Amino acid sequence: MNVIKLEKVKKDYLLGKVTVPALRGVDLNIEMGDFMSIAGPSGSGKTTLLNLIGCIDKSTEGNIIVDGHNINELNDYDLTALRHRTVGFIFQTFNLIPVLNIYENVEFPLLLGKMKQTKKEQNEWINHIIEAVGLSDRKKHRPNELSGGQRQRVAIARALVTQPKIVLADEPTANLDSATSEIIIDLMQKINENEKTTFVFSTHDPMIVNMVSKVIPLHDGLIANPSGV
Amino acid sequence: MPVLLKIAIRNVFAHKIKTLIVGSLIFIGLFLMVLGNSFLDSTSKGIQRAYSNSVTGEIAILKNIDFDYSLFGTWNNIGNLSVPVLPDLKDTLTFLKNHQDIEVVTPVSSNMLMVNTGESSPDFWIMGMAVDPESYRSFFDIEDTLILLEGRFLNPGEEGIVVSSFVAEYLLDYKGIEVHPGDSLLLNGYSANGFRIREVPVRGIFEYQYVKGDIYPMLPRTCFIDQQNFNVLNGIVSKQDDTPPPQEIEDLLFNDSMEDLFSETIEIGTAVNQIETDLESLLGDMSVRHELSRVDNSDWQWLLLSLKNKDDASVKAIRADLEEYFNISYSSFREKNILRPVQIAETMVSPQDPEFSYISSLLTEKEKKSLASSLLVSDKSALTTQIVSILTSFLEREELYNEEAFRGIYFSSITKNLLHKPQKDYELIRRNRLILEEIYPFSLSPGPDYMVSEWWHAASPMSTTTVAIKAVMNFALIIIFIVVIIIIMNTLIISVMERTGEIGTMRAIGGQKRFIFYLFTLETMTISLIFGTLGMLAGAFVITILGRMGIPAPDGSILQMIAGGNSIHPELSTWTISFSFFFMLFVGIFSSLYPVIYAMKIQPVEAMRQE
């Protein structure tokens, strides 16, 4: 089943008065439970593609269907709501909220929408996720008291807390050393196996490329091998 | 949402520089505001208290005139216009003295007078304030409000002037004239009725205890004078004097009968000689001269009212009450003569009209007959004329005019007239007016056309100066706040720019625009509330200390003038506190408006660009 479907997607950026094409017609299907990576050199359009999949940017041309919705047809409010329930983000720079502690950071996305569980269930669920990423003893710490690897684990927990259909990770290991990177990738792989959560990375980290089940090679805004794998 | 508050409050502490810049500006702003407002508040109360207790009373009544006129003359053009005298004073005085909210009424008049300082030197002007010593004394508690340096205040019915210390010193220093009780001053008065000169004995020298004047010299030059001399000097002479002239004057002017005057046998030379001799002898006799320029002692320019409740709200209420009283009686007097009968006649041409039958029930048999015969006239305009004439004659019956219901019909007929005739037939009114004037050539004398004003009107321009000073101070405060808002706005914008990535992240993981709006508004409001409250407390603290100690106002300074005394004791009012509080909210909201809009425009994709 397709979670995300891209049809002839083009994206141009304006650099001053010059139009720079970032994506030049991308067709892509992402299926439930995929653990895949968009790979390519700098400037190949990895992040742009990820932004479009994550509904935080709109394409210049072509359709993007996320969870059955054509995002070009949604307004800002509906798009935000769609992101909230469908997509989890893991950023290269972690992007935790500095004034909230670990528990509160993980809880934060839940507070942005309507509460579906009781307070108690919610607490248990948050604790479960924090435990899953191995940070049970750091719940009361602020992000600036943690190492890079720990911060990224918090970000993973935050991305998973809303039980999204797809988690997008933009170069999640770029700011981590290789040992930590491996632990982080392992963690996500386990979650993918256990929870069937779809993961899409954008990276040029060969370790990730070796660990994922699918690689989408991106070159100059086009998928080099349209057949996938 | 509690998470919003949590983030907002923690951000206040996390972004220390922003918080300190915005906070200290709001702190200083609110501190100055509480200080400034309390200061202005207490000075305005001080000057109001001082003037209403020593010079003007709470309410001052004068003739309804279309130029600015205060107790200190016309504001711009002293002495150039004729002095407005209150008409129909006797009835009004009775009404006011019986008014339940009024404690004391005292009449006063004032105008510029010249002190004749000899031929070689130019005259020196003073502000002559005619008073009724008896009521004035109890009205202003002059033992407290005036410092008598020499002599005493005027006694009832006594001629004389009580000179201000400023005038006495000036006359001594610049004119070499020593003024003490027992001396006399030669005063000149100029008015529309000509030039008058009187010699007035000095009774005392005084100084105001609580009110001071500096920029405008009217107050220091104010001297109390008896009404008789004041009215003579200002040409306020009796207009309707029914008492016969004294016998000697009558003898002088009419010693011959009319027949003798025009008889052929009269010896003109003898008669003229006789008159001249009599005049010579008369000119030596001051009592007759005084008799000739006898004034009506009911002519005054002002009525000052001291109220039982002196708080602002009661003063306003009573002022409105009196205004209504005078307006109704004035307009009804006017319309009683001309307009209303016309309007009634226009609306009451049908005998079936219930108002008509009501009026006819009030009429005597004779009046009814005359009305009935007028109804036989078929011509509508003739009928109108008839009814007008009859109604007008009814209006001369006082008991009808005083009848509540009858007056009610007046009002209803006017309303009817306005309702049924939005385009008023002015031509018809004019024609009826002409008919009326022809049939009833009675005088169109207006009723008491009075203007009711508060202390500051009577105390102009001194009071208006303090208002101007306050306006300047308020303007300065506004400028400060505009600058403060701009600086706060700038600081907030920079803060929002620095947090672009954070805002983008919140948006990316599902935060709606309104979440960003609430977050940043709350942050600014938290800073405003914390530092604003601290600023207000600091201001309140300083005001409390200053209120206990008092700020000294040196003699002759502007401070003394706006303080209305020798020291200012600022005090906090609920108004100051609540105004400051709402102003703080306003500054908080207003200065964060643009930064918040800016923050809301940040796109979620910015999350990816965070460094």
Side-chain angles (χ1 to χ4, degrees):
Chain A
M1 187 199 152
N2 282 342
V3 187
I4 287 159
K5 189 177 160 79
L6 275 71
E7 294 167 343
K8 297 186 179 71
V9 169
K10 287 184 184 176
K11 177 71 182 175
D12 297 334
Y13 286 113
L14 272 178
L15 199 71
K17 285 178 181 172
V18 188
T19 310
V20 181
L23 295 178
R24 301 188 292 171
V26 171
D27 291 289
L28 180 66
N29 285 327
I30 297 170
E31 280 168 28
M32 195 75 158
D34 271 355
F35 193 69
M36 62 188 285
S37 175
I38 302 161
S42 291
S44 59
K46 298 189 298 290
T47 304
T48 305
L49 184 56
L50 208 67
N51 290 347
L52 295 175
I53 295 170
C55 315
I56 57 175
D57 208 352
K58 286 193 175 180
S59 61
T60 317
E61 238 177 78
N63 291 323
I64 302 163
I65 316 293
V66 177
D67 198 24
H69 300 276
N70 187 341
I71 68 163
N72 287 338
E73 290 166 4
L74 297 180
N75 61 22
D76 185 81
Y77 183 90
D78 292 333
L79 202 60
T80 306
L82 178 70
R83 273 201 304 272
H84 182 246
R85 63 171 188 268
T86 318
V87 189
F89 284 95
I90 297 166
F91 302 97
Q92 183 182 345
T93 45
F94 324 132
N95 294 19
L96 301 176
I97 294 166
V99 295
L100 298 180
N101 65 30
I102 302 319
Y103 182 91
E104 289 161 344
N105 259 295
V106 176
E107 182 192 29
F108 183 70
L110 292 176
L111 302 175
L112 292 173
K114 284 187 189 117
M115 205 189 274
K116 288 166 196 148
Q117 303 155 296
T118 64
K119 189 78 193 161
K120 191 164 168 265
E121 284 170 350
Q122 194 170 300
N123 285 347
E124 279 169 10
W125 168 240
I126 294 163
N127 283 327
H128 169 74
I129 289 187
I130 293 175
E131 206 184 325
V133 298
L135 286 172
S136 294
D137 53 342
R138 303 278 180 178
K139 274 189 270 191
K140 296 289 168 199
H141 289 243
R142 294 268 180 100
N144 61 1
E145 295 163 338
L146 302 182
S147 69
Q150 287 170 324
R151 288 186 207 184
Q152 198 58 303
R153 281 193 263 169
V154 178
I156 292 167
R158 180 179 68 180
L160 295 170
V161 77
T162 52
Q163 295 173 278
K165 295 207 167 101
I166 179 166
V167 172
L168 304 176
D170 179 38
E171 310 218 18
T173 57
N175 288 327
L176 303 175
D177 59 63
S178 53
T180 318
S181 298
E182 203 173 336
I183 299 169
I184 293 292
I185 304 298
D186 265 349
L187 177 67
M188 290 194 271
Q189 202 166 28
K190 273 199 198 93
I191 293 165
N192 171 254
E193 280 164 16
N194 298 341
E195 315 281 343
K196 301 288 172 235
T197 310
T198 313
F199 278 86
V200 179
F201 302 95
S202 88
T203 188
H204 48 239
D205 184 345
M207 185 166 58
I208 295 182
V209 175
N210 290 333
M211 287 173 84
V212 294
S213 51
K214 269 191 208 169
V215 174
I216 296 161
L218 206 60
H219 192 78
D220 286 343
L222 286 169
I223 295 173
N225 175 7
S227 64
V229 189
Chain B
M1 205 197 279
V3 68
L4 268 172
L5 201 61
K6 198 192 294 177
I7 298 174
I9 290 173
R10 286 183 192 172
N11 270 326
V12 168
F13 293 101
H15 301 269
K16 288 197 179 65
I17 292 175
K18 176 191 100 173
T19 304
L20 276 177
I21 292 175
V22 174
S24 52
L25 283 171
I26 290 185
F27 177 90
I28 294 167
L30 265 289
F31 176 75
L32 285 179
M33 187 141 182
V34 169
L35 224 60
N37 270 327
S38 300
F39 182 78
L40 293 178
D41 221 26
S42 36
T43 52
S44 87
K45 272 197 191 128
I47 188 174
Q48 177 175 358
R49 210 179 298 126
Y51 269 89
S52 60
N53 284 350
S54 325
V55 187
T56 61
E58 282 81 39
I59 287 179
I61 295 173
L62 72 157
K63 190 176 188 291
N64 199 359
I65 42 175
D66 56 4
F67 54 93
D68 289 332
Y69 197 83
S70 83
L71 268 182
F72 302 99
T74 54
W75 299 1
N76 308 318
N77 212 353
I78 305 153
N80 224 1
L81 291 150
S82 60
V83 180
V85 169
L86 287 168
D88 302 299
L89 194 60
K90 270 178 194 153
D91 291 348
T92 310
L93 263 177
T94 320
F95 166 75
L96 293 174
K97 279 176 179 162
N98 293 329
H99 196 291
Q100 53 173 1
D101 297 318
I102 297 168
E103 183 98 53
V104 198
V105 184
T106 191
V108 297
S109 300
S110 66
N111 200 18
M112 196 176 79
L113 297 172
M114 308 302 288
V115 179
N116 193 322
T117 53
E119 281 177 10
S120 58
S121 126
D123 286 351
F124 171 68
W125 69 268
I126 62 168
M127 229 27 247
M129 176 95 70
V131 295
D132 166 42
E134 203 175 350
S135 58
Y136 199 85
R137 186 179 284 274
S138 65
F139 192 100
F140 286 118
D141 187 14
I142 62 165
E143 270 72 30
D144 177 45
T145 54
L146 300 184
I147 306 167
L148 276 159
L149 302 169
E150 281 180 54
R152 53 173 174 76
F153 197 67
L154 294 170
N155 282 336
E158 167 188 77
E159 260 195 284
I161 183 165
V162 182
V163 179
S164 78
S165 61
F166 174 85
V167 169
E169 279 163 25
Y170 190 96
L171 287 174
L172 182 64
D173 292 351
Y174 296 96
K175 309 284 179 186
I177 302 171
E178 261 193 72
V179 181
H180 295 292
D183 299 339
S184 287
L185 283 182
L186 205 56
L187 299 178
N188 299 347
Y190 304 91
S191 68
N193 291 346
F195 169 82
R196 311 284 173 121
I197 184 160
R198 297 290 282 206
E199 193 174 2
V200 184
V202 176
R203 301 293 179 194
I205 295 173
F206 83 102
E207 213 173 74
Y208 277 115
Q209 171 92 296
Y210 301 110
V211 285
K212 314 279 173 184
D214 186 47
I215 295 176
Y216 295 95
M218 284 84 136
L219 189 71
R221 292 198 191 206
T222 298
C223 300
F224 297 107
I225 184 171
D226 68 287
Q227 191 207 8
Q228 176 80 18
N229 277 315
F230 179 88
N231 284 9
V232 170
L233 285 164
N234 287 293
I236 305 171
V237 287
S238 181
K239 288 160 296 192
Q240 294 168 330
D241 195 355
D242 298 331
T243 52
Q247 195 53 49
E248 61 220 83
I249 296 170
E250 199 155 351
D251 288 349
L252 170 70
L253 297 174
F254 308 108
N255 57 349
D256 297 307
S257 67
M258 295 298 268
E259 288 80 10
D260 287 347
L261 210 60
F262 295 105
S263 69
E264 285 173 14
T265 56
I266 185 169
E267 292 173 32
I268 293 167
T270 328
V272 170
N273 283 344
Q274 179 62 34
I275 291 170
E276 275 175 357
T277 333
D278 287 349
L279 273 175
E280 270 166 22
S281 71
L282 275 168
L283 283 173
D285 185 354
M286 294 297 279
S287 67
V288 178
R289 210 180 96 189
H290 279 194
E291 203 57 52
L292 277 168
S293 56
R294 204 161 56 89
V295 297
D296 186 342
N297 62 9
S298 68
D299 278 339
W300 293 93
Q301 292 172 14
W302 296 81
L303 289 178
L304 306 182
L305 311 184
S306 171
L307 305 183
K308 283 176 184 159
N309 283 325
K310 296 176 195 299
D311 59 287
D312 286 355
S314 343
V315 173
K316 289 230 172 349
I318 292 160
R319 181 192 168 178
D321 191 41
L322 292 177
E323 241 163 20
E324 198 183 20
Y325 170 80
F326 289 124
N327 281 342
I328 286 177
S329 65
Y330 174 63
S331 52
S332 61
F333 257 76
R334 215 168 44 180
E335 281 158 10
K336 182 169 103 178
N337 287 336
I338 285 295
L339 276 178
R340 287 193 180 171
V342 176
Q343 287 164 334
I344 289 169
E346 280 169 9
T347 53
M348 285 180 43
V349 283
S350 156
Q352 280 79 44
D353 197 313
E355 288 169 4
F356 190 90
S357 60
Y358 170 75
I359 288 188
S360 66
S361 75
L362 294 168
L363 305 179
T364 61
E365 281 308 311
K366 197 180 159 217
E367 285 164 334
K368 270 185 196 164
K369 264 183 198 163
S370 116
L371 190 61
S373 67
S374 71
L375 291 173
L376 295 173
V377 184
S378 54
D379 178 7
K380 194 178 166 184
S381 75
L383 177 66
T384 307
T385 314
Q386 287 276 358
I387 294 174
V388 164
S389 70
I390 291 163
L391 281 176
T392 311
S393 71
F394 298 163
L395 288 168
E396 283 160 3
R397 281 168 53 188
E398 209 183 332
E399 75 273 21
L400 273 188
Y401 182 68
N402 289 334
E403 181 78 40
E404 185 91 29
F406 191 74
R407 278 192 294 171
I409 288 172
Y410 273 0
F411 288 115
S412 76
S413 63
I414 288 167
T415 320
K416 254 192 196 172
N417 207 33
L418 293 175
L419 283 178
H420 296 310
K421 291 185 183 170
Q423 299 292 319
K424 247 181 154 179
D425 192 347
Y426 287 105
E427 178 51 34
L428 181 69
I429 292 172
R430 195 190 61 81
R431 211 173 52 232
N432 283 334
R433 185 193 285 246
L434 287 176
I435 296 166
L436 267 174
E437 279 173 353
E438 219 166 83
I439 304 170
Y440 292 98
F442 47 74
S443 77
L444 301 178
S445 68
D449 183 15
Y450 289 178
M451 199 154 90
V452 186
S453 61
E454 282 170 51
W455 72 275
W456 53 265
H457 184 109
S460 296
M462 269 71 88
S463 60
T464 39
T465 305
T466 65
V467 171
I469 292 170
K470 281 171 75 172
V472 169
M473 283 169 133
N474 276 328
F475 185 72
L477 266 181
I478 289 170
I479 297 289
I480 289 174
F481 267 98
I482 290 173
V483 173
V484 161
I485 286 174
I486 290 171
I487 297 174
I488 292 177
M489 221 180 247
N490 186 44
T491 313
L492 292 177
I493 287 275
I494 291 169
S495 162
V496 165
M497 283 172 167
E498 279 174 352
R499 289 164 67 186
T500 301
E502 187 186 330
I503 296 164
T505 305
M506 286 176 173
R507 296 279 286 120
I509 62 179
Q512 293 289 1
K513 276 185 174 175
R514 61 162 187 240
F515 180 87
I516 305 299
F517 171 84
Y518 288 134
L519 180 65
F520 279 84
T521 309
L522 257 177
E523 276 188 40
T524 320
M525 293 317 288
T526 310
I527 298 173
S528 302
L529 277 174
I530 294 172
F531 286 87
T533 310
L534 286 176
M536 274 162 69
L537 286 177
F541 178 72
V542 172
I543 286 296
T544 315
I545 288 177
L546 286 179
R548 294 239 174 100
M549 284 168 32
I551 308 163
D555 256 355
S557 65
I558 292 183
L559 203 58
Q560 188 186 39
M561 198 177 134
I562 60 170
N566 291 323
S567 68
I568 303 166
H569 291 269
E571 48 191 67
L572 277 179
S573 66
T574 38
W575 186 86
T576 298
I577 293 292
S578 44
F579 181 77
S580 305
F581 181 79
F582 284 109
F583 203 81
M584 175 172 81
L585 291 184
F586 169 79
V587 169
I589 291 171
F590 194 78
S591 56
S592 63
L593 212 59
Y594 180 66
V596 165
I597 290 169
Y598 186 90
M600 282 164 70
K601 282 187 179 158
I602 289 174
Q603 291 299 311
V605 71
E606 297 294 339
M608 292 292 185
R609 295 182 193 144
Q610 192 173 352
E611 284 169 20

